[in-house]
Amino acid sequence: MEAMVFLLSLIDCCALIFLSVYFIITLSDLECDYINARSCCSKLNKWVIPELVGHTIVTVLMLVSLHWFIFLLNLPVATWNIYRFIMVPSGNMGVFDPTEIHNRGQLKSHMKEAMIKLGFYLLCFFMYLYSMILALIND
Amino acid sequence: MSQPGSRGATAGLQAQNGAAAASGSPYSNGPVQNALMSSQVSAGQGYDSQLPGSYPHLMPAKSLNPFSGQSNYGGSQGSAQTLNRPPVASNPVPPSLHSGPVPQTPLPASQNPAATPMPSGSFLPGANPPLPLNWQYNYPATGSQTNHFPHVAQPAVSGTTNLTRNQQYVSPGDPSLQTSFIKSGSALPLQNPPLPTSFQPGAPPGPSPAGGPPPVRGLMSQKPPPRVVPPPSFNSSINQEATPQLTNQNPKTSRSVGYAYPSLPPGYQNTAPPSATGMPPSSLNYPSGPQAFTQTPLGANHLNASMSGLSLHPEGLRVVNLLQERNMLPSTPVQPPVPNLHEDIQKLNCNPELFRCTLTSIPQTQALLNKAKLPLGLLLHPFKDLVQLPVVTSSTIVRCRSCRTYINPFVSFLDQRRWKCNLCYRVNDVPEEFMYNPLTRVYGEPHRRPEVQNATIEFMAPSEYMLRPPQPPVYLFVLDVSHNAVETGYLNSVCQSLLDNLDLLPGNTRTKIGFITFDSTVHFYSLQEGLSQPQMLIVSDIEDVFIPMPENLLVNLNESKELVQDLLKTLPQMFTKTLETQSALGPALQAAFKLMSPTGGRMSVFQTQLPTLGVGALKPREEPNQRSSAKEIHLTPSTDFYKKLALDCSGQQVAVDLFLLSGQYSDLASLGCISRYSAGSVYYYPSYHHQHNPVQVQKLQKELQRYLTRKIGFEAVMRIRCTKGLSIHTFHGNFFVRSTDLLSLPNVNPDAGYAVQMSVEESLTDTQLVSFQSALLYTSSKGERRIRVHTLCLPVVSTLNEVFLGADVQAISGLLANMAVDRSVTASLSDARDALVNAVIDSLSAYRSSVLSSQQPGLMVPFSLRLFPLFVLALLKQKSFQTGTNARLDERIFAMCQVKNQPLVHLMLTTHPSLYRVDSLSDEGALNISDRTIPQPPILQLSVEKLSRDGAFLMDAGSVLMLWVGKNCAQNFLSQVLGVQNYASIPQTMTDLPELDTPESARTIAFITWLREQRPFFPILYVIRDESPMKAAFLQNMVEDRTESALSYYEFLLHIQQQVNK
């Protein structure tokens, strides 16, 4: 059972890793002028909710399966994701707004955020992998 | 305690810029339309592409010095030109070609450092017709002749003499086309400014005339070193070299000079009186009348130049105690500071009205900038109407291969064949065609081409700069015809103005026009040629709006002019009985967008109420009893519909201008997005009514007149480039930032200003000068693709004191206002206000702690920032940021839109109005402009103590003029100017001065007309007496005085002092 939980988390985590790599690639495309702000933001905004949902699922899963440490580790990131989504001003076109992204260094902070998340997901990935193997052995 | 706007953000976009540069993606100012930008596009546009008119062969070496030995060539060639390159270039001595001594270098007698000008005309028989190769020199750019004649005459240069070459340039074609100086008055060479040459006797054995000039840093005229001698000597020598028309007279002398720069024969050196040296014609002397391509004479008065570097405005070094010196406001308009550059560079620099930097001395590092706590940024007015603008038509536009910078006066020529980009420092080749100077008709002088002589220049763009054929001018009018709209009666004014100006709409034979009206449904008008009257088509399905017929809704104005006129005449009457109160603005905009998307163009939307139907419907959000508090007001848009639509419009090159004529709250915060992101503009006429508010009617008419007839650029993009090490991190203005430095401007108009904030990404220690270049690529209303380029050059400094000395207080206030608008929207109004105050406190405490050695009491400020607290206080009391008043939300948001969209001059006037005493105007010190005498009364401080009951005062607040008449005003003024018997008979609302046949009246009216002419909008004049309702508004603008909710200037200073000395 526990192995299943971790297997599921592992798959979810993989998806999140790919997603953050996609975020980073798209943002750096924008930096290099390969795509314009409009298409970049519409691409990225599409994936904001899947990322949020994906990560929340893992977090809840950990809570349900009573893995407190991993749950607490995930909680800040999940909170940040939700906070960021809720705090989008009514006039903006999503978390990534094409009219704002070039202003006040937003692009850079988005990039930084994506990088940090990628690191975090990688850490989680190995943690789940380890836990899963441990669970499999214990079974 | 941070400045408004995130300084943190200045950490900035280094990665972006770096990446962009590394990838080598050339910043193409490429044509638009395509979403994917840049690299693909630009591949086709630059040097990579073979220049069409490139010479098939190289010049034989001999032709490099075309004049030597051509004594019979006489003075007929070229004009008296000075070498007007600033001595930035380091011209290495060409090794072998001319190694002899320089016989003529010592100008014999002229000890006079003020040089010896050379009246050019005297040498110029002017025999040769100008013979440029596919070149045009349109002088006043307003004349938009463009001979796109195919450049057929391929020169077969035999290469012996210049003369023969010239002759061969004459193509067998139409000679009139070949003489490409379109400027009226022809004989361009004769109009060249006099040529001052100069010689500094005390010069040390400087570089040999042709040889390497001292590096730029020597010229920088930094403060302490009093003698910057080498440059002058260099100037003088260069000067002589660069007088080509004379050389042939004296082959012997010309021989010695480096690379084929002919030199001044001794016989001419001292002939001319030095009268012309005093004021060398500046190349950017905009208001000056038609003038030949201005050549800045170099080296005039170089002693002064170095002296000016030494003295560095002695006034400027002063430290001012604001608490003691009260009268800091100058009595004339505040002038922008002059960058501390060598005079020769400064002469070429961009006009501050067009391009201005908050710090005219750029700090070397970000650390230094952070220490100064002043914002670094540019304020641009790129499409300003110019009296004089050089226009260049050339098959190749010379740009840096790596960063795509246009060649400009601040590049350095390593030798004749290579130039070094002043933005990225790449060494580029000079294309063959660029070697020929069409003005002087001299080969081998790339540094004297107009591109290198003018910081503001316009290029006719060749076809590489188009992704599609230039669009025709398309004007679509979207008019609200709901009951509310008809009630205001605005349709009459608008239709009448349109009728009057129909022929003046900028355009050509391809101009298209169309109309859409809407209430709860959307109405289209078919104006098909041959119809007896316009045909109205109603689309009532506003959920899924469609275009009822594919053609004839946008029609050619010339072909269907009668129908259009018909429609405009009948339109105001068509809806008089309507009972429809709903407004489906969103669907109407969608329809208009669909109609225009194939071509692009300008959409003018007139709206009189909150949109209530269909997509984009809005709800009232204003709570009148919360108006005065700074909290909880709705400055952010409530829906993203308008923003999305604006971005769609921007992608299809459609700009939307919004005219809001509403009495009630109309949520301009949401509606304004449609203009903001599509590069349109917003006009707001609160409480417009054709009977109750005649003042607004007049204002609308005047502004419509300007709006309809002003210049317009279509499908434009603007790029702002800056020297490597600097980067732009925030943009302000109405546009969409499509990629890191590319602004998408579907329309550009001459009344729009822009601002950007910058950060120093890499230390600028290796460089003495930085440059900024804005390039605006647009399609003119005549269907030509043009590029307008402005280049600004500024010095880099390493000490905090110099940064403060070079601060431009107006530009800083303007940029802070822009940043504060952003802050109000993203955070809150009170945050923005705090940030404004903190900006003053931070910078002044930085000055106090880091620059001032002794800690004197009082509020010590550098002279350059003496008006900073005053302007910030004025900003705090400006409509955008004020608290405590019953400002309507829409008016506040409109004021914010204006802050973002106005050029700096107008913004400063709205923020800190000018106050004049006008009851005793005299002709003393008056301006004379084309037979009109305009009195220039001194500007007074905005304080009630400056008013007196026995005078009359005019306040110029940008969008409104207020004439306050004191109770005991001289009878003379009342009767001679106002045309009333006594004070009591001044009408309650008086908005016009009678034209009386008295000198007083003539002066006053001349002055007011002159003030009005300076701006694109029409300020209404209110005559105010004590009991007038407008008096409150008048006193509101007295920013130095205390109001219920705001500090007086003195209190504000005390507050700042307290914070600074903490």
Side-chain angles (χ1 to χ4, degrees):
Chain A
M1 178 59 205
E2 191 154 305
M4 278 308 290
V5 169
F6 281 113
L7 185 67
L8 206 68
S9 310
L10 204 61
I11 295 165
D12 201 279
C13 197
C14 279
L16 288 174
I17 289 172
F18 280 118
L19 210 54
S20 22
V21 170
Y22 175 74
F23 273 55
I24 291 170
I25 290 174
T26 315
L27 285 171
S28 62
D29 274 358
L30 180 65
E31 276 186 351
C32 305
D33 281 6
Y34 292 139
I35 52 174
N36 74 31
R38 184 95 202 262
S39 54
C40 170
C41 290
S42 64
K43 273 184 187 175
L44 294 185
N45 282 331
K46 244 187 301 190
W47 291 102
V48 166
I49 292 180
E51 190 203 9
L52 189 150
V53 170
H55 192 253
T56 314
I57 286 173
V58 184
T59 315
V60 171
L61 205 62
M62 288 304 146
L63 177 66
V64 170
S65 61
L66 301 176
H67 291 96
W68 292 109
F69 176 70
I70 299 177
F71 169 70
L72 289 178
L73 195 71
N74 272 301
L75 195 60
V77 178
T79 319
W80 167 248
N81 276 342
I82 294 168
Y83 171 81
R84 190 178 65 150
F85 184 72
I86 291 172
M87 291 312 284
V88 172
S90 53
N92 277 17
M93 294 163 65
V95 172
F96 299 88
D97 189 277
T99 60
E100 296 285 324
I101 196 157
H102 284 298
N103 274 0
R104 296 185 295 277
Q106 282 201 3
L107 182 54
K108 212 177 168 192
S109 57
H110 282 311
M111 193 72 160
K112 212 183 280 169
E113 188 187 318
M115 289 285 196
I116 291 172
K117 275 190 191 160
L118 177 64
F120 175 77
Y121 293 144
L122 278 174
L123 180 79
C124 286
F125 177 82
F126 288 111
M127 216 152 57
Y128 300 148
L129 191 66
Y130 174 79
S131 306
M132 188 186 74
I133 293 167
L134 211 65
L136 282 175
I137 292 170
N138 285 348
D139 277 357
Chain B
M1 289 294 232
S2 75
Q3 298 177 43
S6 55
R7 183 42 68 75
T10 54
L13 308 174
Q14 178 170 22
Q16 304 172 23
N17 287 340
S23 73
S25 83
Y27 292 151
S28 59
N29 252 336
V32 202
Q33 198 180 29
N34 195 344
L36 294 189
M37 262 316 292
S38 197
S39 34
Q40 302 95 320
V41 175
S42 57
Q45 15 178 296
Y47 289 121
D48 314 331
S49 63
Q50 197 52 253
L51 33 141
S54 67
Y55 297 90
H57 55 267
L58 283 172
M59 297 287 171
K62 199 176 169 189
S63 68
L64 278 180
N65 194 353
F67 298 120
S68 57
Q70 293 293 320
S71 52
N72 64 339
Y73 197 47
S76 64
Q77 155 86 23
S79 54
Q81 307 246 359
T82 47
L83 169 60
N84 24 27
R85 277 207 44 69
V88 201
S90 54
N91 254 349
V93 190
S96 61
L97 199 53
H98 309 285
S99 52
V102 191
Q104 82 289 13
T105 306
L107 279 178
S110 74
Q111 295 283 329
N112 180 6
T116 328
M118 191 72 68
S120 55
S122 61
F123 296 106
L124 298 172
N128 279 2
L131 300 165
L133 186 65
N134 60 356
W135 258 85
Q136 288 178 352
Y137 239 70
N138 301 1
Y139 246 68
T142 46
S144 52
Q145 313 90 319
T146 51
N147 302 348
H148 285 296
F149 62 91
H151 162 53
V152 274
Q154 189 64 258
V157 182
S158 68
T160 45
T161 67
N162 206 9
L163 186 58
T164 55
R165 201 176 84 235
N166 268 341
Q167 285 166 342
Q168 282 161 352
Y169 278 131
V170 185
S171 79
D174 184 354
S176 70
L177 282 180
Q178 289 291 318
T179 48
S180 58
F181 292 99
I182 296 185
K183 182 185 159 348
S184 63
S186 68
L188 186 68
L190 291 177
Q191 299 183 13
N192 271 339
L195 152 72
T197 60
S198 58
F199 172 63
Q200 166 123 20
S208 88
V216 190
R217 81 184 53 197
L219 305 179
M220 286 290 305
S221 59
Q222 280 141 347
K223 260 185 308 141
R227 307 155 234 102
V228 192
V229 187
S233 76
F234 167 67
N235 293 349
S236 66
S237 51
I238 279 290
N239 229 337
Q240 295 157 18
E241 296 159 23
T243 46
Q245 81 286 2
L246 303 171
T247 52
N248 356 17
Q249 309 242 342
N250 195 342
K252 190 175 61 179
T253 49
S254 70
R255 194 193 312 138
S256 61
V257 189
Y259 248 96
Y261 296 149
S263 54
L264 193 66
Y268 289 108
Q269 283 167 359
N270 289 317
T271 51
S275 59
T277 45
M279 200 54 230
S282 155
S283 61
L284 291 177
N285 197 1
Y286 292 98
S288 76
Q291 189 191 6
F293 164 49
T294 50
Q295 299 283 344
T296 321
L298 184 68
N301 225 338
H302 45 73
L303 192 81
N304 277 2
S306 54
M307 288 302 286
S308 72
L310 164 72
S311 55
L312 211 169
H313 26 267
E315 180 80 325
L317 287 171
R318 204 150 68 86
V319 179
V320 180
N321 186 348
L322 281 183
L323 289 177
Q324 277 168 11
E325 299 183 50
R326 289 225 46 209
N327 292 320
M328 290 320 298
L329 190 75
S331 64
T332 53
V334 183
Q335 294 300 317
V338 179
N340 183 21
L341 286 166
H342 190 273
E343 193 194 12
D344 304 316
I345 304 177
Q346 182 51 34
K347 264 187 300 200
L348 295 170
N349 225 342
C350 196
N351 187 323
E353 283 175 21
L354 304 174
F355 210 149
R356 203 153 156 182
C357 185
T358 55
L359 303 176
T360 56
S361 304
I362 304 291
Q364 213 168 39
T365 58
Q366 182 68 35
L368 188 62
L369 176 60
N370 291 344
K371 240 191 201 169
K373 302 274 185 195
L374 290 171
L376 175 62
L378 301 171
L379 290 111
L380 295 96
H381 189 182
F383 204 55
K384 185 179 175 5
D385 288 322
L386 298 175
V387 176
Q388 183 204 4
L389 173 69
V391 180
V392 166
T393 304
S394 168
S395 58
T396 47
I397 294 174
V398 181
R399 300 173 67 178
C400 173
R401 284 182 80 109
S402 82
C403 69
R404 311 297 299 152
T405 297
Y406 295 81
I407 196 165
N408 59 70
F410 312 108
V411 302
S412 42
F413 280 89
L414 300 180
D415 54 42
Q416 275 205 320
R417 291 284 172 180
R418 293 181 302 156
W419 60 277
K420 190 172 173 189
C421 175
N422 53 340
L423 270 68
C424 68
Y425 307 119
R426 183 194 157 104
V427 176
N428 293 278
D429 292 335
V430 175
E432 187 62 34
E433 196 190 336
F434 201 73
M435 298 294 290
Y436 174 75
N437 186 346
L439 278 184
T440 55
R441 283 157 290 133
V442 171
Y443 183 82
E445 289 183 337
H447 53 270
R448 290 173 52 187
R449 293 262 301 200
E451 292 92 328
V452 192
Q453 289 302 323
N454 293 280
T456 293
I457 196 161
E458 189 154 286
F459 296 97
M460 304 292 302
S463 55
E464 295 103 73
Y465 291 80
M466 307 167 196
L467 270 188
R468 59 173 187 181
Q471 68 161 82
V474 179
Y475 304 108
L476 180 64
F477 295 87
V478 182
L479 305 162
D480 182 359
V481 291
S482 62
H483 178 72
N484 190 41
V486 172
E487 192 68 7
T488 63
Y490 87 93
L491 274 174
N492 274 315
S493 309
V494 171
C495 292
Q496 193 54 46
S497 293
L498 251 173
L499 270 175
D500 295 344
N501 294 303
L502 211 51
D503 295 325
L504 301 172
L505 279 177
N508 51 16
T509 51
R510 297 197 298 156
T511 309
K512 284 175 151 187
I513 195 165
F515 296 88
I516 289 179
T517 57
F518 66 96
D519 39 34
S520 60
T521 53
V522 183
H523 324 131
F524 298 83
Y525 296 88
S526 165
L527 300 164
Q528 189 182 5
E529 219 183 339
L531 282 179
S532 59
Q533 60 177 37
Q535 190 185 354
M536 181 168 154
L537 304 142
I538 300 178
V539 173
S540 51
D541 182 9
I542 54 168
E543 293 308 315
D544 180 24
V545 74
F546 60 93
I547 308 290
M549 60 199 296
E551 282 162 1
N552 300 322
L553 296 179
L554 273 177
V555 292
N556 187 302
L557 178 58
N558 286 353
E559 289 165 10
S560 307
K561 188 171 272 174
E562 281 173 14
L563 275 177
V564 170
Q565 284 168 336
D566 254 19
L567 177 63
L568 286 173
K569 280 175 196 151
T570 51
L571 202 55
Q573 276 75 51
M574 280 164 73
F575 298 95
T576 40
K577 299 223 166 57
T578 185
L579 293 172
E580 190 52 74
T581 54
Q582 304 278 48
S583 162
L585 176 67
L589 286 173
Q590 283 179 326
F593 166 67
K594 279 184 189 163
L595 193 55
M596 291 189 89
S597 52
T599 48
R602 182 174 78 186
M603 194 195 294
S604 315
V605 180
F606 293 80
Q607 170 74 6
T608 61
Q609 57 173 317
L610 202 65
T612 49
L613 271 188
V615 282
L618 299 170
K619 290 194 172 58
R621 295 190 289 170
E622 189 184 40
E623 288 149 61
N625 42 5
Q626 283 192 2
R627 273 176 187 166
S628 57
S629 72
K631 281 173 228 140
E632 294 301 314
I633 56 170
H634 297 283
L635 299 171
T636 48
S638 58
T639 165
D640 63 357
F641 169 77
Y642 294 98
K643 197 179 204 171
K644 275 185 178 150
L645 188 61
L647 294 184
D648 289 335
C649 286
S650 177
Q652 298 298 324
Q653 307 301 338
V654 177
V656 185
D657 293 321
L658 178 66
F659 290 78
L660 189 61
L661 314 105
S662 170
Q664 294 111 38
Y665 175 72
S666 304
D667 202 352
L668 187 58
S670 306
L671 289 183
C673 287
I674 188 80
S675 295
R676 181 163 168 210
Y677 299 109
S678 68
S681 32
V682 177
Y683 295 81
Y684 182 44
Y685 305 91
S687 316
Y688 184 93
H689 195 278
H690 65 119
Q691 280 169 342
H692 307 327
N693 206 342
V695 173
Q696 293 284 8
V697 177
Q698 189 193 16
K699 190 172 160 68
L700 175 68
Q701 280 168 347
K702 296 276 184 187
E703 293 186 353
L704 261 182
Q705 154 101 21
R706 163 77 185 166
Y707 172 77
L708 293 172
T709 54
R710 70 185 178 190
K711 252 187 99 162
I712 182 168
F714 294 97
E715 45 186 1
V717 284
M718 181 162 77
R719 238 183 237 279
I720 303 167
R721 301 180 169 88
C722 42
T723 295
K724 203 169 79 181
L726 292 169
S727 75
I728 295 169
H729 65 76
T730 302
F731 299 85
H732 302 280
N734 288 1
F735 45 66
F736 171 48
V737 188
R738 201 164 45 191
S739 65
T740 45
D741 61 349
L742 183 81
L743 311 181
S744 166
L745 298 161
N747 280 184
V748 60
N749 70 67
D751 304 331
Y754 308 95
V756 297
Q757 282 168 257
M758 287 185 305
S759 57
V760 185
E761 293 281 317
E762 297 162 37
S763 160
L764 299 165
T765 34
D766 329 331
T767 176
Q768 293 291 320
L769 296 174
V770 289
S771 301
F772 309 93
Q773 187 173 72
S774 79
L776 177 74
L777 173 68
Y778 68 98
T779 301
S780 77
S781 51
K782 298 276 181 285
E784 303 149 353
R785 204 81 175 132
R786 288 167 168 244
I787 311 164
R788 188 173 293 187
V789 179
H790 304 286
T791 316
L792 176 75
C793 181
L794 292 175
V796 176
V797 297
S798 56
T799 66
L800 204 53
N801 191 23
E802 287 168 297
V803 174
F804 277 110
L805 284 182
D808 180 343
V809 66
Q810 283 186 304
I812 290 174
S813 312
L815 189 62
L816 282 176
N818 274 297
M819 291 156 76
V821 170
D822 272 7
R823 178 65 76 90
S824 331
V825 174
T826 53
S828 70
L829 194 60
S830 50
D831 255 29
R833 290 172 55 87
D834 290 348
L836 281 173
V837 179
N838 288 342
V840 183
I841 294 171
D842 289 350
S843 59
L844 294 188
S845 30
Y847 183 73
R848 183 183 167 87
S849 58
S850 312
V851 178
L852 291 181
S853 45
S854 59
Q855 298 291 321
Q856 296 133 308
L859 182 61
M860 309 306 288
V861 300
F863 187 74
S864 57
L865 290 181
R866 67 197 185 283
L867 297 173
F868 193 25
L870 177 61
F871 285 166
V872 167
L873 182 67
L875 276 179
L876 292 176
K877 296 184 177 181
Q878 209 230 21
K879 209 167 238 165
S880 321
F881 307 113
Q882 69 190 5
T883 52
T885 55
N886 226 3
R888 283 154 63 168
L889 189 48
D890 278 347
E891 286 186 31
R892 186 190 293 276
I893 288 167
F894 178 65
M896 290 185 170
C897 292
Q898 293 291 88
V899 167
K900 284 255 175 180
N901 193 33
Q902 272 184 347
L904 183 64
V905 242
H906 302 141
L907 173 61
M908 284 319 292
L909 211 51
T910 354
T911 306
H912 186 272
S914 308
L915 183 68
Y916 306 93
R917 183 169 182 153
V918 290
D919 60 334
S920 51
L921 290 177
S922 73
D923 285 346
E924 198 179 320
L927 279 182
N928 276 298
I929 300 173
S930 57
D931 299 340
R932 287 187 306 152
T933 308
I934 296 138
Q936 297 289 299
I939 295 177
L940 305 173
Q941 282 171 296
L942 291 171
S943 168
V944 173
E945 69 178 297
K946 296 286 170 191
L947 301 180
S948 72
R949 285 196 179 278
D950 50 4
F953 295 85
L954 179 72
M955 180 186 282
D956 175 11
S959 55
V960 62
L961 295 169
M962 290 180 265
L963 180 63
W964 181 80
V965 185
K967 211 161 206 152
N968 306 327
C969 185
Q971 182 61 34
N972 189 33
F973 183 78
L974 294 178
S975 55
Q976 306 291 316
V977 177
L978 299 178
V980 291
Q981 296 301 316
N982 52 42
Y983 185 75
S985 53
I986 298 175
Q988 194 67 252
T989 50
M990 181 174 176
T991 54
D992 255 325
L993 290 185
E995 291 207 25
L996 302 176
D997 195 17
T998 58
E1000 290 86 355
S1001 173
R1003 281 195 203 111
T1004 315
I1005 288 177
F1007 182 58
I1008 289 172
T1009 317
W1010 176 73
L1011 288 176
R1012 280 179 170 160
E1013 278 168 359
Q1014 292 173 351
R1015 59 206 70 171
F1017 38 84
F1018 180 79
I1020 304 167
L1021 174 77
Y1022 292 98
V1023 179
I1024 298 170
R1025 55 177 189 155
D1026 266 353
E1027 307 83 44
S1028 303
M1030 284 296 289
K1031 197 187 169 198
F1034 183 76
L1035 294 180
Q1036 186 90 48
N1037 278 331
M1038 290 293 182
V1039 295
E1040 296 199 15
D1041 289 336
R1042 192 177 174 167
T1043 63
E1044 293 150 26
S1045 57
L1047 301 176
S1048 75
Y1049 182 48
Y1050 191 72
E1051 289 167 329
F1052 185 65
L1053 288 178
L1054 284 178
H1055 171 68
I1056 296 206
Q1057 185 210 12
Q1058 201 183 7
Q1059 299 292 319
V1060 165
N1061 292 357
K1062 225 188 319 201

